[in-house]
Amino acid sequence: QVRLVESGGGLVQPGGSLRLSCAASGSIRSIYAMGWYRQAPGKQRDMVATIATGSGATNYAEPVKGRFTISRDNAGNTVYLQMNSLKPEDTAVYYCNANINSRWNDYWGQGTQVTVSS
């Protein structure tokens, strides 16, 4: 069994910063990629940022480029999302995603709420 647990969400004022963490645990042999997605009320879930395990290549959604940074720890089982210069439109539930033990095995965390408001 595999489990992804997000943390670090909360309420922050516009222009503020938050760092989200996602820890993977369980029967893990390998992690091929990890990423962050978000879903605002009434909207679909969209990709925010991803990072490939092998190459370290990152990909960011256009609205967060230059403001958000995705990274992994040395062990490779934890992914972070540093969010700076937060805007109200960043408000959403942020979900951790990972391809674990196979490129085709997709796992999701429970989500962590990020609210950006004055």
Side-chain angles (χ1 to χ4, degrees), residues 49-65:
T50 60
I51 183 166
T53 301
S55 66
T58 58
N59 188 35
Y60 296 92
E62 187 65 30
V64 309
K65 287 182 178 178

Side-chain angles (χ1 to χ4, degrees), residues 4-118:
L4 300 178
V5 179
E6 304 100 332
S7 63
L11 175 64
V12 65
Q13 291 184 298
S17 298
L18 286 173
R19 190 179 80 157
L20 306 183
S21 299
C22 174
S25 62
S27 301
I28 299 173
R29 298 189 306 275
S30 60
I31 300 177
Y32 293 90
M34 302 187 80
W36 290 94
Y37 294 70
R38 67 186 182 186
Q39 186 170 19
K43 296 185 178 181
Q44 68 181 61
R45 188 175 300 184
D46 293 324
M47 185 273 289
V48 177
T50 60
I51 183 166
T53 301
S55 66
T58 58
N59 188 35
Y60 296 92
E62 187 65 30
V64 309
K65 287 182 178 178
R67 299 188 297 119
F68 291 9
T69 303
I70 188 171
S71 62
R72 293 177 64 197
D73 66 359
N74 291 333
N77 287 352
T78 303
V79 65
Y80 306 93
L81 185 68
Q82 179 66 47
M83 305 185 294
N84 298 325
S85 301
L86 283 161
K87 304 175 180 179
E89 50 263 45
D90 295 319
T91 296
V93 177
Y94 284 69
Y95 296 91
C96 179
N97 171 266
N99 300 124
I100 299 177
N101 296 334
S102 171
R103 295 180 182 179
W104 302 94
N105 291 344
D106 206 33
Y107 295 88
W108 293 91
Q110 293 296 310
T112 184
Q113 177 71 49
V114 172
T115 302
V116 185
S117 179
S118 300

